[in-house]
Amino acid sequence: MPSRGLLRAFLSLWVVTGVALLTGSAETVRQALGGRPNPHLALLAAVEAAAALLFLVPRTTRVGAVGLVTTIGVAFAVHVALGQFRGDLLVYAAAAAFVGVHRPLSREQLRSTLPGTAA
């Protein structure tokens, strides 16, 4: 089994990426529906939020990762077309892809990351 430190780092990457994308996309939905509504942006952000939720659930992490990489790719392409470089989107996509490829932690691995358990 990988070291406890590596498992904790992976768990942190997984959870922080999922929560950051979920909260960010929920905020984008809120903004896209207020003021001057932008239904296309709201739809893309809602799909991203749903993918982030799936990403955070161990049984659906891989499906969520595919959804996140896809929606982030679309968002990145739109920003590029508007003359904006969003490197942060590339980092989020890379993190989601990494977690998706390596799958979530097993129960045994998750238990070993908890304080007070054997390494």
Side-chain angles (χ1 to χ4, degrees):
M1 179 179 331
S3 71
R4 177 183 276 180
L6 182 60
L7 293 173
R8 285 181 175 167
F10 180 83
L11 181 62
S12 295
L13 178 68
W14 176 20
V15 172
V16 169
T17 300
V19 170
L21 287 169
L22 177 60
T23 58
S25 49
E27 177 63 17
T28 301
V29 169
R30 188 187 69 73
Q31 290 178 359
L33 294 176
R36 291 178 41 194
N38 184 337
H40 296 101
L41 178 59
L43 178 62
L44 180 63
V47 170
E48 183 178 89
L53 277 172
L54 292 171
F55 181 76
L56 288 167
V57 176
R59 288 185 179 206
T60 58
T61 296
R62 294 186 95 187
V63 172
V66 169
L68 286 173
V69 171
T70 302
T71 57
I72 292 168
V74 170
F76 183 79
V78 169
H79 281 285
V80 167
L82 295 171
Q84 305 164 352
F85 177 76
R86 292 283 309 272
D88 59 318
L89 296 177
L90 296 177
V91 173
Y92 280 127
F98 179 80
V99 172
V101 166
H102 288 281
R103 301 180 184 229
L105 299 179
S106 68
R107 285 180 192 221
E108 179 184 339
Q109 290 172 327
L110 186 57
R111 271 193 291 270
S112 75
T113 65
L114 301 174
T117 58

